[in-house]
Amino acid sequence: MPHARIVPHRDRREPGEVFGSGFSLFADMLLTGLLTSLACLPVVTAPAAFAAASGSLRRTAHDGLPVGFGAYAGRLRAHLSLRTLAAGLLVPVLVLLLLVDAALLRGELPGAPVMAPALALLALAAAVVGLRATALQAPHRLSVREGLVRSAADPGGALLLAAAVLLAALLAWSMPLLIPLLPGPLAFAATVVDVRSTAAAPQEG
């Protein structure tokens, strides 16, 4: 009596699914989030940290291997440079925009009803472009310009990333204990959006 071939769990994927299913993916995102949070502590290392997270998750998608501390640290070192450290200075600027926006909402300054939403949209757009840039592969790795171009060319992906950023902000506000884990899902979202748009590009051409 013939026996049915048993397919390993990590090879069983739904059509169009980018990453393998199951708790291994959830664990990889949690570990990636913690490692990225630690790597972001100096602030200016945030772009390199998110790029390392995206690379780790992309490798998990391609090879099915779990995220490891050594591999993540190696990618982080590879992405650290004067250019990425300088780009990391944009993070405090984004935080400053959010603080100014909050001050406008609380105050009764002239133009606050217009400026507050405008600054909020600007901060959200900057976060989307920044996340998109950290998920890029060579030769466009960590290119803000390329991240902006791809965000404009893929409005659907940009909206998905914007939703991910808003959800992360809501979780950070409502449950601050989750903050160290949030970089993982954000890097995951940026990576999936990049893989999705790259896979769709040849079909559109």
Side-chain angles (χ1 to χ4, degrees):
M1 180 178 179
H3 294 280
R5 179 175 176 265
I6 299 176
V7 181
H9 177 73
R10 67 189 179 113
D11 291 336
R12 291 189 303 224
R13 300 181 182 180
E14 296 296 329
E17 187 179 3
V18 178
F19 292 87
S21 59
F23 284 103
S24 60
L25 173 59
F26 183 68
D28 284 336
M29 279 201 302
L30 290 182
L31 179 58
T32 301
L34 288 174
L35 294 176
T36 305
S37 294
L38 289 174
C40 286
L41 288 178
V43 180
V44 292
T45 56
F50 272 89
S54 177
S56 298
L57 292 172
R58 196 183 292 268
R59 178 174 176 266
T60 298
H62 186 268
D63 300 331
L65 298 176
V67 175
F69 176 79
Y72 179 89
R75 288 185 178 85
L76 179 62
R77 287 194 299 268
H79 287 100
L80 286 174
S81 65
L82 290 177
R83 183 173 68 89
T84 60
L85 292 176
L89 294 175
L90 295 176
V91 176
V93 173
L94 180 61
V95 174
L96 180 61
L97 279 175
L98 293 175
L99 292 176
V100 171
D101 185 52
L104 286 174
L105 287 175
R106 288 194 303 266
E108 297 181 357
L109 298 175
V114 176
M115 286 299 299
L119 285 176
L121 287 176
L122 179 62
L124 181 61
V128 168
V129 173
L131 283 172
R132 193 64 189 268
T134 61
L136 297 175
Q137 290 185 297
H140 303 295
R141 187 174 294 157
L142 284 171
S143 170
V144 176
R145 179 181 178 277
E146 185 66 20
L148 179 60
V149 170
R150 295 198 185 189
S151 296
D154 181 22
L159 287 176
L160 288 174
L161 271 182
V165 172
L166 290 175
L167 180 58
L170 178 61
L171 289 174
W173 173 75
S174 59
M175 291 179 284
L177 289 177
L178 293 180
I179 291 177
L181 302 177
L182 293 179
L186 285 175
F188 175 78
T191 305
V192 170
V193 167
D194 186 68
V195 172
R196 165 184 167 275
S197 64
T198 302
Q203 300 175 2
E204 294 174 354

